[in-house]
Coordinates of all heavy atoms in Angstrom, one line a residue:
L5 N -0.2 10.8 1.8 CA 0.2 12.0 2.4 C 1.7 12.1 2.3 O 2.4 11.1 2.4 CB -0.3 12.1 3.8 CG -1.7 12.3 4.1 CD1 -2.0 12.5 5.6 CD2 -2.3 13.5 3.3
D6 N 2.2 13.3 2.3 CA 3.6 13.6 2.3 C 4.1 13.7 3.8 O 3.7 14.7 4.5 CB 3.9 15.0 1.6 CG 5.4 15.3 1.5 OD1 6.2 14.6 2.1 OD2 5.7 16.3 0.9
L7 N 4.8 12.8 4.2 CA 5.3 12.7 5.6 C 6.3 13.8 6.0 O 6.7 14.0 7.1 CB 5.8 11.3 6.0 CG 4.8 10.2 5.9 CD1 5.4 8.9 6.4 CD2 3.5 10.5 6.8
E8 N 6.8 14.5 5.0 CA 7.7 15.6 5.2 C 7.0 16.8 5.7 O 7.6 17.7 6.2 CB 8.6 15.9 4.0 CG 9.5 14.7 3.6 CD 10.5 14.3 4.7 OE1 11.1 15.2 5.2 OE2 10.6 13.1 4.9
R9 N 5.7 16.9 5.4 CA 4.9 18.1 5.7 C 4.3 18.0 7.1 O 4.2 16.8 7.7 CB 3.9 18.4 4.7 CG 4.4 18.6 3.3 CD 3.4 19.0 2.3 NE 2.8 20.3 2.6 CZ 3.3 21.4 2.2 NH1 4.5 21.4 1.5 NH2 2.8 22.6 2.4
E10 N 3.9 19.1 7.7 CA 3.2 19.1 9.0 C 1.8 19.5 8.8 O 1.4 20.3 7.9 CB 3.9 20.1 9.9 CG 5.3 19.8 10.3 CD 5.9 20.8 11.3 OE1 5.7 22.0 11.1 OE2 6.5 20.3 12.3
Y11 N 0.9 18.8 9.6 CA -0.5 18.9 9.4 C -1.2 19.5 10.6 O -0.9 19.2 11.7 CB -1.1 17.6 9.0 CG -0.6 17.0 7.7 CD1 0.6 16.4 7.7 CD2 -1.3 17.2 6.5 CE1 1.1 15.9 6.5 CE2 -0.8 16.7 5.3 CZ 0.4 16.0 5.3 OH 0.9 15.6 4.1
G12 N -2.3 20.3 10.3 CA -3.2 20.7 11.3 C -4.3 19.7 11.4 O -4.7 19.0 10.5
L13 N -4.9 19.5 12.6 CA -6.0 18.6 12.9 C -7.2 19.3 13.4 O -7.1 20.0 14.4 CB -5.5 17.5 13.9 CG -6.3 16.2 14.0 CD1 -6.3 15.5 12.7 CD2 -5.7 15.4 15.1
V14 N -8.3 19.2 12.8 CA -9.6 19.7 13.2 C -10.5 18.6 13.8 O -10.8 17.7 13.1 CB -10.3 20.4 12.0 CG1 -11.7 21.0 12.5 CG2 -9.5 21.6 11.5
L15 N -10.9 18.8 15.0 CA -11.7 17.8 15.7 C -13.0 18.4 16.0 O -13.2 19.3 16.9 CB -11.0 17.4 17.0 CG -9.6 16.8 16.8 CD1 -9.0 16.4 18.2 CD2 -9.6 15.5 15.9
E16 N -14.0 17.8 15.4 CA -15.4 18.3 15.5 C -16.0 17.9 16.9 O -15.6 16.9 17.5 CB -16.2 17.6 14.4 CG -17.7 18.0 14.4 CD -18.5 17.3 13.3 OE1 -17.9 16.6 12.5 OE2 -19.7 17.6 13.2
G17 N -17.0 18.7 17.3 CA -17.7 18.3 18.5 C -18.7 17.3 18.2 O -19.3 17.2 17.1
G18 N -19.1 16.5 19.2 CA -20.1 15.4 19.0 C -20.2 14.5 20.2 O -20.7 13.4 20.0
G19 N -19.8 14.9 21.4 CA -20.1 14.2 22.6 C -19.5 12.8 22.5 O -18.3 12.6 22.2
A20 N -20.4 11.8 22.7 CA -19.9 10.4 22.8 C -19.4 9.8 21.6 O -18.7 8.8 21.6 CB -21.1 9.5 23.3
K21 N -19.6 10.5 20.4 CA -19.0 10.1 19.2 C -17.5 10.3 19.1 O -16.9 9.8 18.2 CB -19.7 10.8 18.0 CG -21.2 10.6 17.9 CD -21.8 11.4 16.7 CE -23.3 11.3 16.7 NZ -23.8 11.9 15.4
G22 N -17.0 11.0 20.1 CA -15.6 11.4 20.0 C -14.6 10.2 20.0 O -13.4 10.4 19.6
A23 N -15.0 9.0 20.4 CA -14.1 7.9 20.3 C -13.6 7.7 18.9 O -12.4 7.3 18.7 CB -14.8 6.6 20.8
Y24 N -14.4 8.0 17.9 CA -14.0 7.8 16.5 C -12.7 8.6 16.2 O -11.8 8.1 15.5 CB -15.1 8.3 15.6 CG -14.9 8.2 14.2 CD1 -15.3 7.1 13.4 CD2 -14.4 9.3 13.4 CE1 -15.1 7.0 12.1 CE2 -14.2 9.2 12.1 CZ -14.6 8.0 11.4 OH -14.4 7.9 10.0
Q25 N -12.6 9.8 16.8 CA -11.4 10.7 16.5 C -10.1 10.0 17.1 O -9.1 10.1 16.4 CB -11.7 12.0 17.2 CG -12.8 12.8 16.6 CD -13.2 14.0 17.4 OE1 -12.8 14.2 18.5 NE2 -13.9 15.0 16.7
I26 N -10.2 9.4 18.2 CA -9.0 8.8 18.8 C -8.6 7.6 17.9 O -7.4 7.3 17.7 CB -9.3 8.4 20.2 CG1 -9.6 9.6 21.1 CG2 -8.1 7.6 20.8 CD1 -8.5 10.7 21.1
G27 N -9.6 6.8 17.4 CA -9.2 5.7 16.5 C -8.5 6.2 15.3 O -7.5 5.6 14.8
A28 N -9.0 7.3 14.7 CA -8.4 7.9 13.5 C -7.0 8.5 13.9 O -6.1 8.3 13.1 CB -9.3 9.0 13.0
W29 N -6.9 9.1 15.0 CA -5.6 9.6 15.4 C -4.5 8.5 15.5 O -3.4 8.6 15.1 CB -5.7 10.4 16.7 CG -4.3 10.9 17.3 CD1 -3.3 11.3 16.6 CD2 -4.0 10.8 18.6 NE1 -2.2 11.6 17.4 CE2 -2.6 11.3 18.7 CE3 -4.6 10.4 19.8 CZ2 -1.9 11.5 19.9 CZ3 -3.9 10.6 21.0 CH2 -2.6 11.1 21.1
K30 N -5.0 7.4 16.0 CA -4.1 6.2 16.2 C -3.5 5.8 14.8 O -2.3 5.6 14.7 CB -4.8 5.0 16.8 CG -3.9 3.8 17.0 CD -4.7 2.7 17.6 CE -3.8 1.4 17.8 NZ -4.5 0.3 18.5
A31 N -4.3 5.8 13.8 CA -3.9 5.4 12.4 C -2.9 6.5 11.9 O -1.9 6.1 11.3 CB -5.1 5.2 11.5
L32 N -3.2 7.7 12.1 CA -2.3 8.8 11.7 C -1.0 8.7 12.3 O 0.1 8.9 11.7 CB -3.0 10.2 12.0 CG -4.3 10.5 11.2 CD1 -4.8 11.9 11.8 CD2 -4.0 10.6 9.7
K33 N -1.0 8.4 13.6 CA 0.2 8.3 14.4 C 1.1 7.1 13.9 O 2.3 7.3 13.8 CB -0.1 8.2 15.9 CG 1.0 8.2 16.9 CD 0.5 8.2 18.3 CE 1.7 8.1 19.3 NZ 2.5 9.4 19.3
E34 N 0.4 6.0 13.7 CA 1.1 4.8 13.2 C 1.8 5.1 11.8 O 2.9 4.6 11.6 CB 0.2 3.6 13.1 CG -0.2 3.0 14.4 CD -1.2 1.9 14.3 OE1 -1.6 1.6 13.2 OE2 -1.5 1.2 15.3
A35 N 1.1 5.9 11.0 CA 1.6 6.2 9.7 C 2.8 7.2 9.7 O 3.4 7.4 8.7 CB 0.5 6.7 8.8
G36 N 3.0 7.8 10.8 CA 4.0 8.8 10.9 C 3.7 10.2 10.5 O 4.5 11.0 10.2
V37 N 2.3 10.5 10.5 CA 1.9 11.8 10.1 C 2.2 12.8 11.2 O 1.9 12.6 12.4 CB 0.3 11.8 9.9 CG1 -0.2 13.3 9.6 CG2 0.0 10.9 8.7
K38 N 2.8 13.9 10.9 CA 3.3 14.9 11.8 C 2.1 15.9 12.1 O 1.7 16.6 11.2 CB 4.5 15.7 11.3 CG 5.7 14.8 11.1 CD 6.8 15.6 10.4 CE 8.0 14.7 10.1 NZ 9.1 15.4 9.3
I39 N 1.7 16.0 13.3 CA 0.6 16.9 13.7 C 1.3 18.2 14.3 O 1.9 18.1 15.4 CB -0.3 16.3 14.7 CG1 -0.9 15.0 14.2 CG2 -1.4 17.3 15.1 CD1 -1.7 15.2 12.9
K40 N 1.1 19.3 13.7 CA 1.6 20.6 14.1 C 0.7 21.2 15.2 O 1.2 21.9 16.1 CB 1.8 21.5 12.9 CG 2.4 22.9 13.3 CD 2.5 23.8 12.1 CE 3.0 25.2 12.5 NZ 3.0 26.1 11.3
G41 N -0.6 21.1 15.0 CA -1.5 21.8 15.9 C -2.9 21.2 15.8 O -3.2 20.5 14.8
V42 N -3.8 21.6 16.7 CA -5.1 21.1 16.8 C -6.1 22.2 17.1 O -5.8 23.1 17.9 CB -5.3 20.0 17.9 CG1 -6.7 19.4 17.9 CG2 -4.3 18.9 17.8
A43 N -7.3 22.2 16.4 CA -8.4 23.0 16.8 C -9.6 22.1 17.1 O -9.9 21.3 16.2 CB -8.7 24.0 15.7
G44 N -10.2 22.3 18.2 CA -11.3 21.4 18.6 C -12.4 22.1 19.3 O -12.2 23.2 19.9
A45 N -13.6 21.6 19.1 CA -14.8 22.1 19.8 C -15.4 21.0 20.6 O -15.5 19.9 20.2 CB -15.8 22.6 18.8
S46 N -15.9 21.3 21.8 CA -16.6 20.4 22.7 C -15.7 19.2 22.9 O -14.6 19.3 23.4 CB -17.9 20.0 22.1 OG -18.7 19.4 23.0
V47 N -16.2 18.0 22.6 CA -15.4 16.8 22.8 C -14.1 16.8 22.0 O -13.1 16.2 22.4 CB -16.2 15.5 22.5 CG1 -16.3 15.3 21.0 CG2 -15.5 14.3 23.1
G48 N -14.1 17.6 20.9 CA -12.9 17.7 20.1 C -11.8 18.5 20.9 O -10.6 18.2 20.6
S49 N -12.2 19.3 21.8 CA -11.2 20.0 22.7 C -10.6 19.0 23.7 O -9.4 19.0 23.9 CB -11.9 21.1 23.4 OG -12.1 22.2 22.6
L50 N -11.4 18.1 24.2 CA -10.9 17.1 25.2 C -10.0 16.2 24.5 O -8.9 15.9 25.0 CB -12.1 16.4 25.7 CG -11.8 15.3 26.8 CD1 -11.1 15.8 28.0 CD2 -13.0 14.5 27.2
N51 N -10.3 15.7 23.3 CA -9.5 14.9 22.5 C -8.2 15.6 22.0 O -7.1 15.1 22.0 CB -10.2 14.3 21.3 CG -11.1 13.1 21.7 OD1 -11.0 12.5 22.8 ND2 -12.1 12.9 20.9
G52 N -8.4 16.9 21.7 CA -7.3 17.7 21.3 C -6.2 17.8 22.4 O -5.0 17.9 22.1
A53 N -6.7 17.9 23.7 CA -5.7 18.0 24.8 C -4.9 16.7 24.8 O -3.7 16.7 25.0 CB -6.5 18.1 26.1
L54 N -5.5 15.6 24.6 CA -4.8 14.3 24.6 C -3.8 14.2 23.4 O -2.7 13.7 23.5 CB -5.8 13.1 24.5 CG -6.6 12.9 25.7 CD1 -7.9 12.1 25.4 CD2 -5.9 12.2 26.8
V55 N -4.2 14.8 22.2 CA -3.3 14.8 21.1 C -2.1 15.7 21.4 O -1.0 15.3 21.1 CB -4.0 15.3 19.8 CG1 -3.1 15.5 18.7 CG2 -5.1 14.3 19.4
C56 N -2.4 16.8 22.0 CA -1.2 17.7 22.3 C -0.3 17.1 23.4 O 0.9 17.4 23.3 CB -1.8 19.0 22.9 SG -2.4 20.1 21.6
M57 N -0.8 16.3 24.2 CA 0.0 15.6 25.2 C 0.7 14.4 24.6 O 1.5 13.7 25.2 CB -0.8 15.2 26.4 CG -1.2 16.4 27.3 SD -2.0 15.9 28.8 CE -3.5 15.2 28.3
D58 N 0.2 14.0 23.4 CA 0.7 12.8 22.7 C 0.5 11.6 23.5 O 1.4 10.7 23.5 CB 2.2 13.0 22.3 CG 2.6 12.1 21.1 OD1 1.8 11.7 20.3 OD2 3.8 11.7 21.1
D59 N -0.6 11.5 24.1 CA -0.9 10.4 25.1 C -2.0 9.5 24.5 O -3.1 9.5 24.9 CB -1.3 10.9 26.4 CG -1.2 9.9 27.5 OD1 -1.1 8.7 27.2 OD2 -1.2 10.2 28.7
L60 N -1.6 8.7 23.4 CA -2.6 7.8 22.8 C -3.1 6.7 23.7 O -4.2 6.4 23.8 CB -2.0 7.2 21.5 CG -2.8 6.2 20.8 CD1 -4.1 6.8 20.3 CD2 -2.0 5.6 19.6
E61 N -2.2 6.2 24.5 CA -2.5 5.1 25.4 C -3.6 5.5 26.4 O -4.5 4.8 26.7 CB -1.3 4.6 26.2 CG -1.5 3.4 27.1 CD -0.3 3.0 27.8 OE1 0.9 3.4 27.4 OE2 -0.4 2.1 28.7
R62 N -3.4 6.7 27.0 CA -4.4 7.3 27.9 C -5.7 7.5 27.2 O -6.8 7.2 27.7 CB -3.9 8.6 28.5 CG -4.8 9.2 29.6 CD -4.9 8.3 30.8 NE -5.8 8.9 31.8 CZ -6.9 8.3 32.3 NH1 -7.2 7.1 31.8 NH2 -7.6 8.9 33.2
A63 N -5.7 8.0 26.0 CA -6.9 8.3 25.2 C -7.7 7.1 25.0 O -8.9 7.0 25.1 CB -6.5 9.0 23.9
E64 N -7.0 6.0 24.6 CA -7.7 4.7 24.3 C -8.3 4.2 25.6 O -9.4 3.6 25.6 CB -6.7 3.7 23.7 CG -6.4 4.0 22.2 CD -5.5 2.9 21.6 OE1 -4.4 2.7 22.1 OE2 -6.0 2.3 20.7
E65 N -7.6 4.3 26.6 CA -8.0 3.8 27.9 C -9.3 4.5 28.4 O -10.3 3.8 28.8 CB -7.0 4.0 29.0 CG -7.4 3.5 30.4 CD -6.3 3.8 31.5 OE1 -5.2 4.2 31.1 OE2 -6.6 3.7 32.6
I66 N -9.3 5.8 28.2 CA -10.5 6.6 28.6 C -11.7 6.1 27.8 O -12.8 5.9 28.3 CB -10.3 8.1 28.4 CG1 -9.3 8.6 29.4 CG2 -11.6 8.9 28.4 CD1 -8.8 10.0 29.2
W67 N -11.6 6.1 26.4 CA -12.7 5.8 25.6 C -13.2 4.3 25.6 O -14.4 4.0 25.5 CB -12.5 6.2 24.2 CG -12.6 7.7 24.0 CD1 -11.6 8.6 23.9 CD2 -13.8 8.5 24.0 NE1 -12.1 9.9 23.8 CE2 -13.5 9.8 23.8 CE3 -15.2 8.1 24.1 CZ2 -14.4 10.8 23.8 CZ3 -16.1 9.1 24.0 CH2 -15.7 10.5 23.9
K68 N -12.3 3.4 25.9 CA -12.6 2.0 25.9 C -13.4 1.7 27.2 O -14.1 0.7 27.3 CB -11.4 1.1 25.9 CG -10.7 1.0 24.6 CD -9.5 0.1 24.6 CE -8.9 -0.1 23.2 NZ -7.7 -0.9 23.3
N69 N -13.3 2.6 28.2 CA -14.0 2.4 29.5 C -15.0 3.4 29.8 O -15.4 3.5 31.0 CB -12.9 2.3 30.6 CG -12.0 1.1 30.4 OD1 -12.4 -0.1 30.6 ND2 -10.8 1.4 30.0
I70 N -15.4 4.3 28.9 CA -16.3 5.3 29.1 C -17.7 4.8 29.5 O -18.1 3.7 29.1 CB -16.4 6.3 27.9 CG1 -17.0 7.6 28.3 CG2 -17.3 5.6 26.8 CD1 -16.1 8.5 29.0
D71 N -18.4 5.5 30.4 CA -19.8 5.2 30.6 C -20.5 6.5 31.1 O -19.9 7.5 31.3 CB -20.0 4.1 31.7 CG -19.3 4.4 33.0 OD1 -19.4 5.6 33.5 OD2 -18.8 3.5 33.7
Y72 N -21.8 6.4 31.2 CA -22.6 7.6 31.5 C -22.2 8.2 32.8 O -22.2 9.5 32.9 CB -24.1 7.2 31.5 CG -24.7 6.6 30.3 CD1 -24.8 5.3 30.0 CD2 -25.1 7.5 29.2 CE1 -25.3 4.8 28.9 CE2 -25.6 7.0 28.0 CZ -25.7 5.7 27.9 OH -26.2 5.2 26.7
S73 N -21.9 7.4 33.8 CA -21.7 8.0 35.1 C -20.3 8.7 35.2 O -20.1 9.4 36.1 CB -21.7 6.9 36.2 OG -20.6 5.9 35.9

Side-chain angles (χ1 to χ4, degrees):
L5 290 185
D6 182 354
L7 295 184
E8 296 301 313
R9 300 185 68 83
E10 293 183 317
Y11 295 83
L13 195 62
V14 175
L15 300 179
E16 180 180 1
K21 302 181 182 187
Y24 181 90
Q25 295 170 341
I26 298 303
W29 173 41
K30 180 179 181 178
L32 295 175
K33 188 175 176 66
E34 287 180 353
V37 177
K38 299 173 185 175
I39 304 299
K40 179 183 177 183
V42 184
S46 195
V47 74
S49 286
L50 180 61
N51 284 336
L54 291 160
V55 172
C56 283
M57 291 188 290
D58 201 29
D59 197 345
L60 176 60
E61 183 178 351
R62 181 71 180 117
E64 288 187 297
E65 179 186 349
I66 289 168
W67 282 106
K68 284 180 179 179
N69 297 288
I70 198 73
D71 60 38
Y72 297 100
S73 64

